[in-house]
Amino acid sequence: MVSRSYSNLLDLASGNFHSFSREKKRFPRVATVTGVLSELDDDNNSNSVCSDAPSSVTQDRIIIVGNQLPIKSHRNSAGKLSFSWDNDSLLLQLKDGMREDMEVVYIGCLKEQIDAVEQDDVSQRLLENFKCVPAYIPPELFTKYYHGFCKQHLWPLFHYMLPLTPDLGGRFDRSLWQAYLSVNKIFADKVMEVISPDDDFVWVHDYHLMVLPTFLRKRFNRVKLGFFLHSPFPSSEIYRTLPVRNELLRALLNADLIGFHTFDYARHFLSCCSRMLGLSYQSKRGTIGLEYYGRTVSIKILPVGIHISQLQSILNLPETQTKVAELRDQFLDQKVLLGVDDMDIFKGISLKLLAMEQLLTQHPEKRGRVVLVQIANPARGRGKDVQEVQSETEATVKRINEMFGRPGYQPVVLIDTPLQFFERIAYYVIAECCLVTAVRDGMNLIPYEYIICRQGNPKLNETIGLDPSAAKKSMLVVSEFIGCSPSLSGAIRVNPWNIDAVTEAMDYALIVSEAEKQMRHEKHHKYVSTHDVAYWARSFIQDLERACGDHVRKRCWGIGFGLGFRVVALDPSFKKLSIEHIVSAYKRTKNRAILLDYDGTMVQPGSIRTTPSRETIEILNNLSSDPKNIVYLVSGKDRKTLTEWFSSCDDLGLGAEHGYFIRPNDGTDWETSSLVSGFEWKQIAEPVMRLYTETTDGSTIETKETALVWNYQFADPDFGSCQAKELMEHLESVLTNDPVSVKTGQQLVEVKPQGVNKGLVAERLLTTMQEKGKLLDFILCVGDDRSDEDMFEVIMSAKDGPALSPVAEIFACTVGQKPSKAKYYLDDTAEIIRMLEGLAATNTTTSDQTGSTATVPTKDLF
């Protein structure tokens, strides 16, 4: 059985159009909608709480989304289109890593523009014969999206090229960004037509579709979504220049799993999330994860591999053997250095040619004996920079050949016409060394292909005169700045900008011993043959399944507008506190306790003014003056500050410095915790903190009576975090024998006495009430950060204990939707104040009805 949306497509493929009568947005009409999106929010389901109703799919299915479908199209002389699989497409090759019972559906564009009158027919054929769903992009929109935003903005920036002048990358164009959004929305619509959201996996590929995760997560909160970036991800200094930097980061974070080729790319992404979004990551059991609104976004680091069986099948072709024989005769008694690159500015072709020129200049004996064959594939982009690279390459080749060439010898052979795959394979087979000198490249699989081809087969060994029993050999010179470099430990790594170093590497590759060539080849062949494209795909799918494992057990809320949309995933028992509910419980109870945090709860976090407002004072006075209530304000602030701020609240209890100091009301003295014997440890900790403050610009020390806090809120995030780890280790080592705890918090390191936390106030309150024989039947505890979790834990654990009435109403409430030990939440401080006003209004109403004017007795609890 299949999902309803997918069955609609099958109905279309079989000619049954009746099922579309009420769903006019369904396939294929939505794909032909033109125009530019200005906003993300364009449907009525923008804040769906959960996915659609469970589908009837029983077979695992994955929807693979890429810019281009793995399909070749051909139009014959009569104008009729025919289609076939593109065996060179990575999206098709990765199927080898899927389980046999997993169905694969592809979504993407066709390379050929399809007329509107043909689109329905083409869609039916592709769906029926290939399980492919084409996305039709109007030509003008596609130009802005692909050649505009993708190739003028994202691709250069991700390869470390800044738009310093209008000619260098181009200024940011908002219309191109809108086109990028529009095309991503069209892709999202195609996914929505076929997806069974509770069962299917979606795997999105590359920078062309970076905002697609937001569109999909917005419609299906529990969609199982992976994303793999096939290009580099730049450092934060480069990436932060992009005007839509936050939008793209947040869009990617709507995926469950984000994949990168190398740790460097992942590290740059994590650094951007830290610096621009304030997010931190953790590594658990070898897996890196980002906590994002209750969801864990996993990071996958694994370079893609090649399709080895396809390569071997090409090696076995008679055409390949014939071409190898032809090249053997052409380069007889010459050693071939091979370069295979796209004709673009990042492939470093001109640098490679300069190194070849220097090699022939410094080593005259190599003239006539060494040839550089440079295969230049057509550039994928277009523009002035491509023309300049082509002109420079041709001029340099001409100069070298005129300087060092002679009859029968051409030192550089430039092949700038398209080659068939078997022809390129033949060059791999006869090349003594492969040179990849790109100045920046996401992965580059040319070295992998070269290694497999040098392994050869019996027929090719015979053709080039190799002993079948002899060990194979190869040499690689690769740039440090390409994704495959870390995987090729036996390669000669070079800085392509250092012409001298590249020249030396080329010379060494030619003169190295046969035994070393064999050793390097064996090491590379072992890695490449075991880390093929199937291994890569299988590993990614396994991690995606693991990352989506807890989707079912969590409740999801969609919040935010536009590209700021995200999903909050929380425990099913966690819900918003109803003011009507708590007011009703408040009215029918007689022994009540209210515990309130201050910063972030009673006052907006980050506010310039932190002193309590007149409204806050009135609310606290109203609540604390009720003889049925015990009200405590528990804060991390010092007791002097709290005393000054709340001097007009006679019956309000205060807990300062996270509960170390406690004062039941204004008429009593401050009490201290019996857990602490002294503060001699400050004389040890403070000089250490001062040392790190001096070396970390933007950091400060906050000195409290019972604690020391090192804050790096205004320091560089990465350096501050690094220094915090060092400081924590340093403090732990020097304070080993002291009764203190060293803890990290939100951009801080705190040293305080062991056992001191806000939970102390809650524990003493419960114990004292129990001793007096007054069992509480109502508890409200409100806080906003980690320090308040101790209070939540105490009151929630007391639920079934002797300190509370069997029918006690417990309300542990946190500020904002986030993982917490509390069972309730309110969105912000405004809602907290509104809720407290509701409780205070109940006191006023009750007082008016009873006409009570009695003086409230002092509550001496401790």
Side-chain angles (χ1 to χ4, degrees):
M1 298 178 69
V2 295
S3 69
R4 178 184 175 189
S5 55
Y6 192 55
S7 64
N8 287 337
L9 287 178
L10 296 178
D11 286 340
L12 176 62
S14 61
N16 298 327
F17 296 95
H18 63 276
S19 63
F20 286 83
S21 59
R22 291 182 297 173
E23 296 184 313
K24 295 184 180 180
K25 284 183 68 178
R26 292 283 185 188
F27 177 91
R29 299 300 179 191
V30 72
T32 61
V33 174
T34 59
V36 175
L37 288 173
S38 59
E39 294 291 340
L40 181 85
D41 306 282
D42 64 336
D43 55 56
N44 295 325
N45 300 305
S46 62
N47 288 312
S48 55
V49 172
C50 61
S51 302
D52 283 355
S55 83
S56 55
V57 172
T58 57
Q59 181 186 28
D60 284 340
R61 183 172 64 177
I62 186 167
I63 300 170
I64 296 178
V65 191
N67 181 52
Q68 287 190 342
L69 287 171
I71 293 291
K72 289 182 179 179
S73 59
H74 174 72
R75 195 181 293 274
N76 61 20
S77 57
K80 185 176 181 180
L81 275 169
S82 61
F83 301 98
S84 61
W85 286 115
D86 181 1
N87 292 321
D88 295 336
S89 171
L90 175 66
L91 300 189
L92 180 63
Q93 294 173 356
L94 62 79
K95 283 182 67 174
D96 284 8
M98 309 290 180
R99 300 191 307 271
E100 291 184 3
D101 63 340
M102 180 171 277
E103 181 185 359
V104 180
V105 178
Y106 290 102
I107 295 176
C109 299
L110 287 167
K111 296 178 183 178
E112 181 167 335
Q113 186 65 37
I114 307 298
D115 293 335
V117 294
E118 296 181 290
Q119 289 178 3
D120 286 0
D121 175 65
V122 168
S123 298
Q124 293 179 48
R125 291 167 59 191
L126 289 177
L127 177 65
E128 188 177 49
N129 300 324
F130 300 95
K131 291 186 179 177
C132 289
V133 180
Y136 299 115
I137 314 297
E140 183 179 350
L141 184 61
F142 184 84
T143 298
K144 288 185 175 181
Y145 148 75
Y146 183 77
H147 296 290
F149 192 77
C150 290
K151 288 301 181 181
Q152 287 184 27
H153 292 319
L154 290 184
W155 188 76
L157 188 77
F158 281 18
H159 289 76
Y160 287 72
M161 187 173 79
L162 292 174
L164 299 176
T165 66
D167 294 333
L168 188 63
R171 302 299 190 208
F172 184 81
D173 187 337
R174 182 67 59 173
S175 68
L176 301 184
W177 165 243
Q178 298 295 343
Y180 184 79
L181 292 179
S182 296
V183 173
N184 274 253
K185 182 62 171 65
I186 291 175
F187 273 84
D189 289 337
K190 306 311 294 181
V191 175
M192 292 173 192
E193 289 172 2
V194 300
I195 191 173
S196 295
D198 296 314
D199 301 285
D200 295 347
F201 292 91
V202 181
W203 188 358
V204 182
H205 289 264
D206 222 1
Y207 62 91
H208 313 91
L209 302 170
M210 289 178 71
V211 299
L212 181 56
T214 289
F215 286 106
L216 296 180
R217 185 71 62 189
K218 181 179 175 64
R219 180 63 182 85
F220 305 116
N221 292 168
R222 290 191 179 91
V223 64
K224 296 179 251 187
L225 178 59
F227 180 91
F228 198 94
L229 183 67
H230 293 274
S231 76
F233 196 94
S235 66
S236 60
E237 288 75 16
I238 299 294
Y239 180 79
R240 71 196 312 164
T241 63
L242 187 65
V244 291
R245 60 191 189 184
N246 286 0
E247 290 88 334
L248 290 180
L249 286 179
R250 292 192 183 279
L252 287 180
L253 291 172
N254 275 317
D256 296 296
L257 178 66
I258 306 173
F260 299 93
H261 286 306
T262 72
F263 175 70
D264 275 348
Y265 303 161
R267 178 169 55 86
H268 293 158
F269 172 76
L270 294 170
S271 176
C272 288
C273 289
S274 171
R275 290 172 177 269
M276 295 163 211
L277 302 181
L279 301 177
S280 59
Y281 69 92
Q282 289 183 331
S283 181
K284 295 181 180 179
R285 297 181 179 179
T287 301
I288 299 174
L290 276 164
E291 288 297 324
Y292 189 61
Y293 291 94
R295 295 172 49 247
T296 299
V297 181
S298 299
I299 304 299
K300 174 75 172 176
I301 303 169
L302 184 66
V304 70
I306 60 174
H307 197 287
I308 295 177
S309 60
Q310 178 192 352
L311 207 56
Q312 290 173 336
S313 66
I314 301 297
L315 285 170
N316 292 329
L317 291 176
E319 296 94 325
T320 305
Q321 187 177 353
T322 302
K323 184 65 178 179
V324 169
E326 176 188 325
L327 295 177
R328 176 202 61 197
D329 296 338
Q330 178 182 348
F331 298 109
L332 191 64
D333 297 329
Q334 294 177 340
K335 291 187 176 182
V336 176
L337 304 175
L338 177 65
V340 181
D341 305 279
D342 293 344
M343 185 69 81
D344 70 49
I345 58 177
F346 297 112
K347 293 302 187 287
I349 295 177
S350 59
L351 300 175
K352 187 187 308 177
L353 294 174
L354 292 176
M356 180 64 180
E357 182 178 29
Q358 185 165 308
L359 178 70
L360 296 177
T361 301
Q362 295 178 353
H363 301 276
E365 72 281 2
K366 289 184 169 55
R367 301 171 189 174
R369 300 173 58 188
V370 177
V371 175
L372 172 62
V373 177
Q374 178 61 56
I375 299 175
N377 302 318
R380 300 179 188 180
R382 60 190 185 189
K384 183 180 178 182
D385 54 352
V386 174
Q387 297 172 0
E388 290 176 350
V389 169
Q390 189 168 1
S391 299
E392 181 185 9
T393 299
E394 291 172 352
T396 307
V397 169
K398 182 179 179 182
R399 183 181 73 245
I400 295 173
N401 286 339
E402 287 177 351
M403 186 180 303
F404 301 107
R406 58 174 185 253
Y409 173 63
Q410 191 176 5
V412 179
V413 177
L414 177 63
I415 304 173
D416 55 3
T417 55
L419 292 178
Q420 295 189 53
F421 195 19
F422 78 87
E423 294 178 300
R424 194 174 85 197
I425 295 299
Y427 279 101
Y428 286 145
V429 172
I430 59 98
E432 188 75 15
C433 176
C434 182
L435 307 172
V436 183
T437 57
V439 296
R440 189 70 61 179
D441 208 349
M443 183 59 195
N444 201 313
L445 296 174
I446 297 301
Y448 288 15
E449 294 178 352
Y450 170 71
I451 293 299
I452 296 300
C453 292
R454 288 291 288 179
Q455 188 69 13
N457 61 40
K459 290 184 178 179
L460 292 176
N461 290 340
E462 182 180 347
T463 302
I464 58 179
L466 286 180
D467 182 358
S469 62
K472 305 301 185 292
K473 56 187 180 181
S474 63
M475 286 297 295
L476 281 172
V477 176
V478 300
S479 165
E480 300 171 356
F481 306 117
I482 62 177
C484 66
S485 176
S487 305
L488 300 171
S489 57
I492 304 174
R493 297 192 183 99
V494 295
N495 174 2
W497 299 102
N498 187 340
I499 305 301
D500 292 336
V502 178
T503 302
E504 291 175 7
M506 294 167 67
D507 181 48
Y508 183 76
L510 293 170
I511 64 174
V512 70
S513 67
E514 298 296 304
E516 185 171 343
K517 291 179 183 179
Q518 293 169 5
M519 181 271 293
R520 291 174 183 262
H521 174 82
E522 183 180 352
K523 179 184 291 188
H524 290 155
H525 185 262
K526 182 178 181 180
Y527 175 83
V528 174
S529 59
T530 55
H531 292 74
D532 60 358
V533 67
Y535 173 86
W536 171 75
R538 183 164 53 250
S539 179
F540 189 89
I541 293 298
Q542 288 173 351
D543 279 11
L544 180 58
E545 291 175 344
R546 192 177 300 114
C548 301
D550 63 349
H551 278 199
V552 177
R553 71 175 186 84
K554 288 192 174 183
R555 298 177 66 200
C556 298
W557 288 266
I559 61 174
F561 299 97
L563 290 172
F565 176 85
R566 62 271 189 200
V567 165
V568 177
L570 300 168
D571 189 272
S573 62
F574 190 67
K575 55 188 177 182
K576 187 166 185 176
L577 179 59
S578 166
I579 295 180
E580 292 78 9
H581 179 202
I582 191 172
V583 168
S584 175
Y586 184 86
K587 287 180 178 179
R588 63 175 180 264
T589 51
K590 297 180 179 180
N591 292 318
R592 300 184 289 245
I594 301 175
L595 300 169
L596 302 173
D597 172 47
Y598 183 72
D599 286 310
T601 301
M602 303 295 290
V603 64
Q604 189 73 24
S607 299
I608 297 176
R609 177 184 174 180
T610 59
T611 56
S613 65
R614 179 178 178 183
E615 178 190 25
T616 300
I617 296 294
E618 289 178 354
I619 292 172
L620 292 174
N621 264 328
N622 194 313
L623 290 173
S624 59
S625 64
D626 188 333
K628 298 179 182 179
N629 294 345
I630 303 296
V631 182
Y632 267 83
L633 190 139
V634 189
S635 173
K637 293 188 177 299
D638 61 84
R639 54 180 173 173
K640 180 181 178 182
T641 300
L642 294 181
T643 300
E644 291 176 356
W645 285 0
F646 299 99
S647 59
S648 60
C649 299
D650 295 339
D651 297 309
L652 177 66
L654 296 175
E657 299 198 20
H658 300 295
Y660 177 79
F661 295 107
I662 297 176
R663 194 190 71 176
N665 53 59
D666 191 40
T668 58
D669 296 329
W670 285 95
E671 300 178 18
T672 59
S673 172
S674 60
L675 297 173
V676 181
S677 57
F679 298 96
E680 294 79 9
W681 54 267
K682 280 189 174 184
Q683 299 175 9
I684 302 173
E686 191 166 7
V688 175
M689 284 190 173
R690 196 179 304 117
L691 173 64
Y692 282 81
T693 303
E694 292 171 356
T695 58
T696 310
D697 188 33
S699 65
T700 58
I701 299 175
E702 180 184 358
T703 302
K704 300 180 180 180
E705 287 186 69
T706 63
L708 290 174
V709 180
W710 186 77
N711 191 306
Y712 61 95
Q713 180 181 0
F714 301 108
D716 178 90
D718 287 341
F719 183 57
S721 177
C722 178
Q723 290 287 81
K725 292 177 182 177
E726 291 289 336
L727 173 60
M728 186 171 180
E729 292 178 2
H730 195 160
L731 289 171
E732 286 177 338
S733 65
V734 298
L735 298 173
T736 302
N737 299 322
D738 291 281
V740 297
S741 61
V742 183
K743 293 186 178 180
T744 58
Q746 189 67 25
Q747 296 178 318
L748 60 84
V749 176
E750 183 175 26
V751 185
K752 63 180 182 180
Q754 289 179 349
V756 174
N757 57 65
K758 290 185 179 181
L760 289 175
V761 179
E763 287 176 352
R764 293 184 65 180
L765 173 62
L766 292 173
T767 301
T768 304
M769 292 298 288
Q770 183 182 2
E771 291 173 351
K772 290 181 175 289
K774 295 181 179 180
L775 301 184
L776 294 171
D777 53 9
F778 177 97
I779 297 183
L780 169 63
C781 182
V782 188
D784 76 305
D785 62 19
R786 291 181 182 177
S787 64
D788 302 306
E789 295 295 314
D790 295 311
M791 287 196 296
F792 297 150
E793 185 176 12
V794 170
I795 68 169
M796 294 306 297
S797 61
K799 184 175 182 180
D800 299 321
L804 298 181
S805 167
V807 293
E809 299 272 9
I810 300 177
F811 299 93
C813 179
T814 187
V815 182
Q817 301 179 37
K818 57 179 178 285
S820 173
K821 294 173 183 175
K823 295 302 180 183
Y824 297 95
Y825 75 91
L826 288 173
D827 289 326
D828 50 34
T829 56
E831 287 197 348
I832 298 295
I833 296 297
R834 196 176 306 123
M835 181 264 294
L836 294 176
E837 283 178 337
L839 300 183
T842 302
N843 287 345
T844 303
T845 303
T846 303
S847 176
D848 291 343
Q849 290 176 348
T850 60
S852 172
T853 58
T855 303
V856 179
T858 301
K859 304 186 217 47
D860 186 7
L861 283 180
F862 304 123

